[in-house]
Structures are given as C-alpha cells and as structure tokens.
Amino acid sequence: MGLWPGWVQPWQVPFGDAVDAAPKYVVSSSLTDVDWNAELLDGDLVTRIRDLKEQPGRGLFVGGVTLPAALARAGLIDEYALLVHPVLAGHGPRLAAGLADHLTLSLVQRDVFRSGVTALRYRPTDPGGDDT
C-alpha cells in the first residue's frame, strides 16, 4: 500500500492502489518526459494504439475530449463508457467535436445511481445494420 495523504479515507485506498499500479500512456504534443508509471506515446498515434490494443489485458481506457475524438475518427474505439452527471454546463469542450461523420451506437448497459449520475456503455454498430 502506498503512502496516502491524511484526507484519503480507508475505503478509497484500494482504488488508489489500483490506479497507482496501472500502466498509463500519455499522448502530448509538448511533454518530453512523464512519471507515475507512465509511458509517453510518440510516433504515429494510430499505429501505437493499434499495437497497444493487440497486447493482452483488460483494454485501454481513454479520457478527455481531444484524444477520444481522434481515436473515434480512426475507428479505434470498441466501446464508449459515458457518465452523465445531473449538471448542465453552458460552455466547454463538446464530446464529439471534430468528428466528420456521425457514429451509430448500440446500448450495452445502463446504470442509474442514487446521485443522479447515469453510467452508459455503448458499442459502435455497423451502419449497414449488422452489429454482431
């Protein structure tokens, strides 16, 4: 178990330990060095992500707006996990900004929490109708 600040509750430690131990990949146009169990991805992003997807494991998880949009344009996202919070923001980046075409998605799972947050999982479907 790592050393955690005093404000960290005991129930949060397993999650923190898991995040700490997980390998991380950073995509940046300005960084030259990374830490926290991370590797800076350089070269062709599409090729690097395809290589990572071929490795054994539970998959890659991506956050943000710019990187997921680039990966979606390249057809590299197998599943979308979205958390919808009951808050409306009138500004900020849009999730699908930069996509040239629309994506048709199929709902895989939906969970609604007491907080009002809804977790949604979608998979891209074949526009021709064959989403097997």
Side-chain angles (χ1 to χ4, degrees):
M1 182 167 113
L3 292 177
W4 296 100
W7 53 264
V8 172
Q9 300 297 312
W11 61 269
Q12 296 171 312
V13 170
F15 176 79
D17 284 341
V19 170
D20 242 13
K24 296 155 202 65
Y25 303 97
V26 177
V27 176
S28 174
S29 60
S30 61
L31 292 175
T32 57
D33 190 35
V34 293
D35 57 13
W36 194 35
N37 195 23
E39 175 186 341
L40 186 62
L41 295 182
D42 55 3
D44 180 62
L45 177 64
V46 171
T47 301
R48 292 298 311 270
I49 297 298
R50 281 194 180 120
D51 291 344
L52 288 171
K53 285 180 66 170
E54 290 177 7
Q55 295 179 10
R58 290 190 46 210
L60 301 171
F61 301 90
V62 177
V65 176
T66 306
L67 180 59
L71 298 178
R73 283 191 302 273
L76 291 173
I77 297 181
D78 301 318
E79 187 170 284
Y80 293 83
L82 307 174
L83 293 176
V84 179
H85 292 263
V87 175
L88 295 176
H91 58 84
R94 294 180 310 153
L95 181 62
L99 289 180
D101 296 316
H102 72 278
L103 296 172
T104 303
L105 305 173
S106 177
L107 182 64
V108 174
Q109 182 178 350
R110 177 186 64 223
D111 294 303
V112 179
F113 301 97
R114 286 189 310 243
S115 64
V117 173
T118 303
L120 302 163
R121 286 181 42 226
Y122 293 95
R123 290 196 182 117
T125 58
D126 180 3
D130 181 19
D131 57 328
T132 56

